[in-house]
Amino acid sequence: MRAKQIIPLLFGIVGVAILLSLGTWQVRRLAEKEAVLAEIDARIGAEPGALPEVPDPARDKYLPVAVTGDLTGDSIRVLVSQKQIGAGYRYITAMETEAGRIMVDRGFVPVRETAAPVAAQGVTVQGNLHWPDEVDGYTPEPDLGAGIWFARDVEAMAAHLDTRPILVVARAVSQSEPLATPLGLDSSGIPNDHLEYAITWFSLAVIWAAMTVYFLWRQRRPDKGTIR
């Protein structure tokens, strides 16, 4: 091997090694993330208990609870979309309970439906505590005149509905609601892109190796016009 090929070869080996290490790291992160998601799903599906006296967003996120009280007529609509159904609203309703006035995410209502979920007394809701992180710099401000929101912001919704900043996402309701379909929590909405990242890094490693081999092959070719 000629001296001028050593540096490209070393450059190629180092580049491939770095890309393979990044891909391997993403594979490890994938396994860790899948374990975390499995824990979250197990927590969500556990037996519901009583609402904590002072729920903590970090400690009690996804905590399964059962609450009983009166669903009031105070509601807001959060614009969402469901696969194979289309646009609709999540109905967030204030609920009077022994623990105070809280919010219940009653579920999905298609946008074509003109009626709204009605008030109900003595209702038991089984669901999970949630503090969704849906608001970013691109989220429009709520249309308070129309009562339409574009993301669930627990603090802002609680201030608007005059409730405690507590949201229970319903999985089941003791009194069936013909309009709203509960959208229970699961881990499917939590991003897990580590497999795609791993494939990207490993693909780049293959491309880098192929380019290195091609470059070295070109270096070994005799110059055009050389007389043999």
Side-chain angles (χ1 to χ4, degrees):
M1 180 178 292
R2 290 177 289 181
K4 67 178 183 178
Q5 292 180 307
I6 295 177
I7 292 178
L9 177 61
L10 292 176
F11 188 71
I13 291 173
V14 171
V16 170
I18 292 174
L19 292 170
L20 289 176
S21 66
L22 290 171
T24 303
W25 181 77
Q26 288 294 344
V27 171
R28 290 198 299 267
R29 288 290 295 124
L30 174 64
E32 294 171 358
K33 189 64 172 286
E34 288 178 341
V36 170
L37 295 179
E39 291 178 3
I40 290 174
D41 282 329
R43 178 178 174 86
I44 289 173
E47 190 70 20
L51 183 69
E53 184 175 343
V54 183
D56 179 82
R59 181 194 64 214
D60 297 322
K61 192 173 186 178
Y62 309 120
L63 182 71
V65 296
V67 291
T68 299
D70 301 332
L71 292 169
T72 73
D74 301 327
S75 298
I76 60 177
R77 297 175 295 171
V78 181
L79 187 64
V80 294
S81 179
Q82 285 287 93
K83 289 182 178 179
Q84 300 179 344
I85 297 177
Y89 302 105
R90 283 182 178 269
Y91 268 80
I92 312 295
T93 301
M95 183 179 194
E96 299 285 357
T97 73
E98 292 183 354
R101 187 174 162 101
I102 66 172
M103 295 178 290
V104 173
D105 183 335
R106 300 174 72 169
F108 180 83
V109 177
V111 73
R112 63 179 178 273
E113 180 60 61
T114 57
V118 298
Q121 296 182 338
V123 178
T124 297
V125 175
Q126 293 186 5
N128 300 87
L129 293 177
H130 196 32
W131 288 266
D133 182 17
E134 297 177 346
V135 179
D136 57 27
Y138 299 98
T139 304
E141 291 295 322
D143 184 346
L144 299 180
I148 298 176
W149 294 52
F150 301 96
R152 290 175 296 175
D153 183 332
V154 172
E155 293 287 344
M157 293 190 305
H160 183 75
L161 293 174
D162 190 25
T163 70
R164 298 177 64 189
I166 299 172
L167 176 66
V168 177
V169 180
R171 297 181 67 84
V173 181
S174 61
Q175 296 183 20
S176 61
E177 170 57 66
L179 297 176
T181 301
L183 295 176
L185 292 176
D186 59 36
S187 64
S188 62
I190 301 174
N192 183 15
D193 301 323
H194 296 292
L195 178 59
E196 289 81 359
Y197 294 153
I199 292 173
T200 299
W201 290 123
F202 288 138
S203 298
L204 288 173
V206 172
I207 294 171
W208 193 287
M211 291 177 62
T212 300
V213 171
Y214 177 73
F215 181 80
L216 294 174
W217 174 74
R218 288 291 302 269
Q219 289 290 317
R220 291 178 63 87
R221 291 181 61 190
D223 296 335
K224 292 182 179 181
T226 300
I227 300 176
R228 294 176 177 271

